[in-house]
Structure formats: structure tokens, C-alpha cells
Amino acid sequence: GGGRVRYAGHEQIWQHLHRHALADVFLDNMEYNGGTTGLDALWADVPIVSAPMEKFSARYGASFNAGAGLQMLTARGWEDYARLASALANRPRELGLIRGSLHSSKASSPLFDTRRFAASFGRLLSLLWDISHSQGGVLRTLRFHTSIAGAGDAPPPAAWA
């Protein structure tokens, strides 16, 4: 409800994780999303209201929501963000349903499926190894390229050598 916004300072990790249970909703910062704090919130069944921007650091929340099946909480801008946050604050029954859905879907959610992630990451490493050795040598360079709007003509980051 109204008047319940609380700001929290730095705490020990266990205190940080436990206080998530006090929150109704996680209002993601639009320029620099919550990152692991957002994941902690979702794990504690606290939904995230987020709005992706152009920067990589402003897109975590939307990705987390997609992975958790909560795309409907990803806003399309400031006005939509405010509307979603207000709706969740003023409709506790709907908020409870979303939290319950988040809780019950965690076991099958790709976002929290560490075994599937580990298996996929292992397959990726095996593929990189196979590619490297099929070309007669050890994989020495990984090149990353970004196509983010507004990046200008900047070259890709330097290769890892």
C-alpha cells in the first residue's frame, strides 16, 4: 500500500537475503538493473517491475522476467513502468497470485534450473574445445562484438589473447 517505500542500506549477505521477504515488489532501476539483487528478489518470490533500456546494464530485469515467465511485468517505458508498479501496489490479490505463480514455477523455470545451465555450459566448453582442436591448435582468441544501438563506429573490444 501507500507510504511503504523503504530504502535499505548495506548489510551482511545473509541479512540482505532475508530482508527480501519484507518486500512486496522489486522496482528495478531503469539505467542499472538489479543484477544479482534482482535474482535474489525473484528467488524470494518478489516480482520485478522493470523496463529495458538500450544499455546492457539496463536489460537484466527484462531477461529475468522472461526467464521466470513474468514478461507482463516488463514495461515499455516510464509511464508503463509507473502503471505496473501502481497496479501491483493497489491490487494485493493480483500481486499474491503473481507471487504464488513465481513460487510454484521456480522448480521448472529455466532461470533457476542450475543443472540445465551447467549441462549447457559444459556442452559449450566442449564445443569450443572441439573447434579449437579441429583447427590444429589451442583456442587462443575469443572475439566479442556488440550491436547495441548508439555504439557508433567503436571497434569491438580487444580480443582475449
Side-chain angles (χ1 to χ4, degrees):
R4 294 191 51 217
V5 173
R6 297 191 183 164
Y7 296 92
H10 181 76
E11 295 287 350
Q12 295 294 321
I13 187 66
W14 66 270
Q15 292 168 316
H16 164 74
L17 294 173
H18 285 286
R19 70 179 167 199
H20 277 56
L22 303 173
D24 295 321
V25 66
F26 184 96
L27 300 176
D28 215 359
N29 180 313
M30 289 174 82
E31 289 297 321
Y32 297 96
N33 288 178
T36 54
T37 304
L39 287 174
D40 294 340
L42 287 173
W43 185 254
D45 304 326
V46 178
I48 297 174
V49 174
S50 190
M53 305 300 269
E54 287 187 29
K55 293 180 190 174
F56 175 73
S57 61
R59 303 188 70 77
Y60 296 126
S63 294
F64 298 160
N65 278 344
L70 297 174
Q71 296 91 325
M72 73 283 212
L73 297 180
T74 299
R76 292 178 297 274
W78 283 107
E79 288 179 18
D80 196 31
Y81 179 93
R83 183 192 57 76
L84 282 169
S86 178
L88 287 175
N90 292 306
R91 296 183 187 137
R93 184 176 179 283
E94 289 178 32
L95 176 60
L97 291 173
I98 291 170
R99 290 181 70 141
S101 171
L102 180 57
H103 181 78
S104 64
S105 69
K106 258 192 283 193
S108 62
S109 168
L111 188 62
F112 295 112
D113 189 344
T114 54
R115 287 184 185 185
R116 182 169 37 177
F117 172 81
S120 295
F121 189 67
R123 284 192 302 275
L124 172 64
L125 292 177
S126 293
L127 177 64
L128 289 173
W129 181 266
D130 292 346
I131 290 170
S132 169
H133 285 281
S134 72
Q135 296 176 1
V138 176
L139 184 66
R140 296 178 197 202
T141 305
L142 292 176
R143 294 193 184 270
F144 293 90
H145 177 72
T146 60
S147 61
I148 298 172
D153 295 325
W160 292 357

